[in-house]
Amino acid sequence: MDAKSYPSATEGEDRRVRIREVGPRDGFQNEPETIPTSDKVRLINALGRAGVERIEVASFVRPDVIPQLSDGVEVLHRIELPPTVARMVLVPNRKGLENALRERAYFDEAALFVSASQTHNKRNVNRTVEETMADVRGMGPRIVAEGVRLCAVIATSFGCPFEGEVPMGRVLDLAEQFAEAGAVEIGFGDTTGMCNPAYAGRFFATAIERLPGVEITAHFHNTRGQGLANAYAALEAGCRSFESSFGELGGCPVPKGSTGNIATEDLVSMFHEMGIDTGLDLGGLIDAAREAQETLGRRLTSHSIVAGPVIWSPGERAGA
Amino acid sequence: MDAKSYPSATEGEDRRVRIREVGPRDGFQNEPETIPTSDKVRLINALGRAGVERIEVASFVRPDVIPQLSDGVEVLHRIELPPTVARMVLVPNRKGLENALRERAYFDEAALFVSASQTHNKRNVNRTVEETMADVRGMGPRIVAEGVRLCAVIATSFGCPFEGEVPMGRVLDLAEQFAEAGAVEIGFGDTTGMCNPAYAGRFFATAIERLPGVEITAHFHNTRGQGLANAYAALEAGCRSFESSFGELGGCPVPKGSTGNIATEDLVSMFHEMGIDTGLDLGGLIDAAREAQETLGRRLTSHSIVAGPVIWSPGERAGA
């Protein structure tokens, strides 16, 4: 499969992408110190002012397991986002689903997840992939019946630090199972930054072909510096939905000390310079990331925090 | 122009790239403290052991202007590289050329340079672009007559922090002037990280078409995190020659505090994972970058220094 047979994202009319900001869940969860609720609310509201359209705001995990997110319900209640913003919550299991549905009025999308690698799923949630997917078949229709938009996330879609290669067919089979359970969007996560742009191009071209009608979302990590290269390759292969984290928040314990998510402001900067529309205000986004840096009191790894945007306006260069 | 009409680098037989390591000149020059000569020699020798095939080792600039490189001749004399390694020196002007030619036995390639932006060239070398190019017409044939491989570098090829957009036609006209003066390789530098992958694809496809017989080299910076995305796009457009810096050494004063060159080990990691051959030993390269980090006593921004290579062997994934 050659991603190049697909039309270039920079040539056609299809120049709009959707970006989900995952910093408030995926990023805040990985902070060594729990961020005070009022700081979380302030930062999420700043993201809303920057034009964020989709945002992952909470996870219904056990507070003793992830204390960094134990104030999830309070965050959901207190944030002030425009009504058009899609608020997503992560649902790890049946117990989490019961807790989530009690707060039904405060979110629009729910994400179920599995790791495509057996070893990684065991280490992450202490269940086999098959056990997790059996739960998905039970929870999915329940979520859909509540009028919640059902999303899915498949971790280690591009490689596992324990098992090595994860076959594309295995990942796409899981994606089809999610779609059968009612998921209308499926995100593929490069949990430890093992994807490369050649593979990203082939993968997303194939996924889009195999899952018609399902929104295909790319979630890359910048572990080896290739995050934006992978995003560009996925875009070229037809992908129009991405997840990223402001300030490049969100580390990953494997490999030790490495960075996690790609920075939303770096992704948006690249897209805008290419003439791709994101709906986001890059200046406001950089301000929010700088505010996060100040709140956390340490230097974040986002590039745009330091370099700022290029000086020409969005799209000017792409048409040159 | 659509770069996508060119064959994908990951599909055909043309899977070999050439990488020039520029850290010993471009990187060491930008260190706030001058690195002791013995440390420079040790690090350069480590790069040689990692399989570096091309390396920029010195610049014949005035020592009062760039004291960090004032030991250039001593470095040239003391390094121990395999005889197959192409050693490059930077020649900033006629005086530098005279000094360089006295050391003719110690290098293989010489680079002349200009900035495509009038303002940037004035600020960098205090001459107009036309004055610099007049010098090039004098120096080029002299260098070629000495049997030295003549290379050229065009800075701010993808945008100027002072002037904004730099037209592609202007850059390629300068490239043709260099070729007429005898240059067989021309590098295009993204001095302050203003390129994006869509433009990189169009630019390199056009440059390759307009300069037949000339080796076209991409020199990207990671200022806004897009360095590897640009390298991937250039590769896809047919570019097979790249410059990068081990440890991501080499900052840039504009924008203040931003990173400069892309890290050689991150570039090589991406290429190897894609099944592209570089001739380099990634493990040895990461070791050399870690040694540089230890020598300089500060955390470098290279990703592979922390994350290491992915666990599968080069090329294994690309064929999956």
Side-chain angles (χ1 to χ4, degrees), chain B residues 232-255:
Chain B
Y232 169 67
L235 179 86
E236 288 289 296
C239 181
R240 292 294 178 272
S241 175
F242 296 85
E243 289 186 341
S244 55
S245 179
F246 76 130
E248 207 169 277
L249 288 173
C252 186
V254 179

Side-chain angles (χ1 to χ4, degrees), chain A residues 158 165 222 224 308 317 320, chain B residues 158 165 222 224 303 308 317 320:
Chain A
F158 307 98
E165 189 168 344
N222 205 25
R224 289 174 178 85
R317 177 59 156 292
Chain B
F158 307 98
E165 189 168 342
N222 205 26
R224 289 175 178 83
H303 285 80
R317 177 57 157 292

Side-chain angles (χ1 to χ4, degrees), chain A residues 4 10 158 164-165 196 198-199 202 222-226 228 236 270 273-274 303 307-310 312 317-318 320, chain B residues 4 10 158 164-165 196 198-199 202 222-226 228 236 270 273-274 303 307-310 312 317-318 320:
Chain A
K4 297 309 135 202
T10 57
F158 307 98
E165 189 168 344
N196 67 71
Y199 190 78
R202 288 199 299 278
N222 205 25
T223 318
R224 289 174 178 85
Q226 299 175 37
L228 292 189
E236 288 291 295
M270 179 174 85
E273 289 155 34
M274 290 171 64
H303 284 80
V310 289
W312 44 66
R317 177 59 156 292
Chain B
K4 297 309 135 202
T10 56
F158 307 98
E165 189 168 342
N196 67 70
Y199 191 78
R202 288 199 298 277
N222 205 26
T223 318
R224 289 175 178 83
Q226 299 176 36
L228 292 190
E236 288 289 296
M270 180 175 84
E273 288 155 34
M274 290 171 64
H303 285 80
V310 288
W312 43 66
R317 177 57 157 292

Side-chain angles (χ1 to χ4, degrees), chain B residues 8-65:
Chain B
S8 167
T10 56
E11 300 293 318
E13 289 303 300
D14 182 19
R15 286 166 166 269
R16 181 65 154 90
V17 297
R18 286 149 64 91
I19 295 177
R20 180 177 292 110
E21 171 57 52
V22 302
R25 198 283 303 170
D26 193 339
F28 293 173
Q29 167 174 342
N30 285 291
E31 285 301 310
E33 301 289 326
T34 300
I35 303 170
T37 309
S38 56
D39 285 337
K40 289 182 179 175
V41 169
R42 180 171 45 81
L43 291 170
I44 293 170
N45 290 349
L47 289 166
R49 286 194 299 276
V52 162
E53 295 172 332
R54 320 173 101 178
I55 184 164
E56 191 182 33
V57 278
S59 172
F60 284 89
V61 284
R62 274 168 49 193
D64 57 321
V65 176

Side-chain angles (χ1 to χ4, degrees), chain A residues 24 28 40-48 55 57 75 79 81:
Chain A
F28 293 174
K40 288 181 181 176
V41 170
R42 181 171 43 81
L43 292 170
I44 292 170
N45 290 348
L47 289 166
I55 186 164
V57 278
V75 169
I79 52 176
L81 294 171

